[in-house]
Every structure is written in structure tokens, then in C-alpha cells.
Amino acid sequence: MAKGSGKVLAQNKKAGHDFFIEETIEAGMVLQGTEIKSIRNGRVQLRDSYVRVNGNEAWISNMHVSPYEQGNRFNHDPLRSRKLLLHKRQIAELIGRVKRDGYTIVPLKMYIKDGYAKLLIGVGKGKKNYDKRDDLRKKEAKRDMERTFKAKNQI
């Protein structure tokens, strides 16, 4: 399977709007028992989450995984930090990229691949406001062109 393929459970659409994504890496996660059940139900949110590197470990923070309904006392803290499973070489590469000015690591989407929950993280540089406006302008122009093309084909 290709990187980023599988059943998509959550997507961080705001990351594409706020960052120029230069590289993507697929990572596994260390999860507790009821977390995977809740994730499989699609009850996960990546909007304000971010990835940080401590020592030789990568952690995702502020990712909200809702408590599982039938989990009772075995439920987890919804906003706890979760360890990402990456090779040492990948973590070293991430550290080198983040040390450069303006680069950060953001989660892009979460999906199920071969029965395991995977997280696609991207290394990106923050966009300025004029870059965001320019992207919106291009997207709007493309949408208008498709609309007119579709209208001409219907006649």
C-alpha cells in the first residue's frame, strides 16, 4: 500500500492551508486499549495537534481521541500525549529539519492500514497571510473554470 492510503479516519485540512508541506512520513502510534476502538469509530480530531521531539522520541500532543462509550473505568485521557513509532534515522531527520527556521511538524491525516492506526505527519514551513490569500484565489479560479467547463459540456 502507498503511504497515506487506507481508510481515512481523520484529516487535518487546516494544515494544508497554514503550511507549505515539503515532506511526509508515516508513523505508528502507541495506544491504550480503548483508544483504538474509539479511533476505529472515527472519534478523533487532529485540528490543533502538533508533533514534538524529546530526546530520541517523537510525541503527538493535543490530539483529541474521544473516550469509548463502553470503556467505563478503562477509558483514557482524551488529550494525552502519545508516542509515535519512528526509526532513529527518521527522528534524526525530523530534528534536522525542525532546527531550520520556520519549520514545524504537523499531523496531516490518520488512517487504518493493515489493521493498524497510522498517522501521516508532514514537515512544513508556515505560510504568510498573503500566501494563504493567493492560494484561496487560485482555488476559486480553478473552481470557476470547472463550473464554466461543466456548463458548456451540458449544452
Side-chain angles (χ1 to χ4, degrees), residues 35-73:
E35 282 180 323
I36 187 63
K37 292 180 180 188
S38 189
I39 288 173
R40 285 182 192 273
N41 288 338
R43 300 180 50 88
V44 61
Q45 194 174 63
L46 297 174
R47 186 173 300 135
D48 295 325
S49 58
Y50 58 94
V51 177
R52 57 187 164 77
V53 179
N54 287 345
N56 291 331
E57 297 178 338
W59 295 82
I60 183 165
S61 299
N62 215 18
M63 179 177 73
H64 188 273
V65 177
S66 298
Y68 187 58
E69 287 97 21
Q70 288 86 32
N72 58 37
R73 65 183 178 146

Side-chain angles (χ1 to χ4, degrees), residues 7-117:
K7 181 184 175 194
V8 176
L9 303 171
Q11 199 165 6
N12 190 357
K13 294 180 181 178
K14 196 168 183 172
H17 178 71
D18 291 340
F19 298 97
F20 291 113
I21 304 297
E22 295 183 1
E23 180 187 359
T24 60
I25 298 174
E26 182 180 78
M29 290 175 291
V30 176
L31 300 171
Q32 291 181 349
T34 58
E35 282 180 323
I36 187 63
K37 292 180 180 188
S38 189
I39 288 173
R40 285 182 192 273
N41 288 338
R43 300 180 50 88
V44 61
Q45 194 174 63
L46 297 174
R47 186 173 300 135
D48 295 325
S49 58
Y50 58 94
V51 177
R52 57 187 164 77
V53 179
N54 287 345
N56 291 331
E57 297 178 338
W59 295 82
I60 183 165
S61 299
N62 215 18
M63 179 177 73
H64 188 273
V65 177
S66 298
Y68 187 58
E69 287 97 21
Q70 288 86 32
N72 58 37
R73 65 183 178 146
F74 298 108
N75 268 330
H76 55 278
D77 178 27
L79 290 174
R80 76 178 187 90
S81 294
R82 293 160 183 91
K83 185 177 176 180
L84 296 179
L85 302 173
L86 294 166
H87 295 284
K88 282 184 184 181
R89 177 184 42 81
Q90 290 175 319
I91 293 173
E93 188 177 313
L94 285 176
I95 291 170
R97 288 197 166 242
V98 171
K99 282 187 179 178
R100 290 189 291 177
D101 206 24
Y103 283 86
T104 188
I105 310 168
V106 291
L108 301 175
K109 64 179 163 178
M110 180 179 285
Y111 51 92
I112 298 287
K113 180 177 174 183
D114 298 330
Y116 295 101

Side-chain angles (χ1 to χ4, degrees), residues 132-147:
K132 294 177 189 179
R133 286 191 298 266
D134 190 42
D135 283 351
L136 286 174
R137 214 174 289 122
K138 286 178 184 175
K139 194 181 289 185
E140 188 72 29
K142 183 179 177 185
R143 202 175 297 135
D144 288 341
M145 285 176 28
E146 287 176 358
R147 237 183 255 132

